[in-house]
Amino acid sequence: QGQLVESGGGLVQPGGSLRLSCVDSGHTFSTYAMGWFRQVGHERQYVAVINWDGSSSTYADSVKGRFTVSRDKVKNTLYLQMNSLKPEDGGVYYCASSIHYTRRTEDFGYWGQGTHVTVSS
């Protein structure tokens, strides 16, 4: 069990870009699927998930073609490149890890503390 720490959030104008990072200090990064989720109000929504070796990824329909999830096993870091940002992309973004390659929030057992993204002019 380790610690997930997100960074890279901030204020960006519509149409802009941000790259979120999530460092995993534990020992499961190389074998676990990793995901990004967005919390808006009380709802935590799936954004993107990548499998343990980075060979497969899946995205929510709302971000397909604009967001890219990737992982660096040397740096134990998960990334989310967000382009063409829209106001509705705003929220608190969390990274999480799961032994399963899944979109189900309840299957992710380890979570970071979140990083806030605001998209506004």
Side-chain angles (χ1 to χ4, degrees), residues 2 4 89 103:
L4 301 177
D89 294 323
R103 304 178 182 183

Side-chain angles (χ1 to χ4, degrees), residues 38-40 85-93 116-119:
R38 175 175 61 228
Q39 181 139 1
V40 180
L85 282 161
K86 304 175 182 179
E88 54 264 39
D89 294 323
V92 181
Y93 281 72
H116 206 114
V117 172
T118 302
V119 184

Side-chain angles (χ1 to χ4, degrees), residues 8 12 32 56 63 68 75 82 94-95 98 104 108 114 118-119:
V12 63
Y32 274 40
S56 184
V63 307
T68 303
K75 296 182 179 179
M82 306 187 294
Y94 295 88
C95 70
S98 172
R104 287 158 39 102
F108 285 78
T118 302
V119 184

Side-chain angles (χ1 to χ4, degrees), residues 6-7 11 13-14 17 22 31 33-34 54 56 59 62 70-71 90 102-103 111 113 117-118:
E6 303 95 336
S7 62
L11 172 64
Q13 292 186 342
S17 297
C22 170
T31 58
M34 301 291 296
S56 184
Y59 299 88
S62 61
S70 61
R71 63 192 302 164
T102 174
R103 304 178 182 183
W111 293 82
Q113 83 292 344
V117 172
T118 302

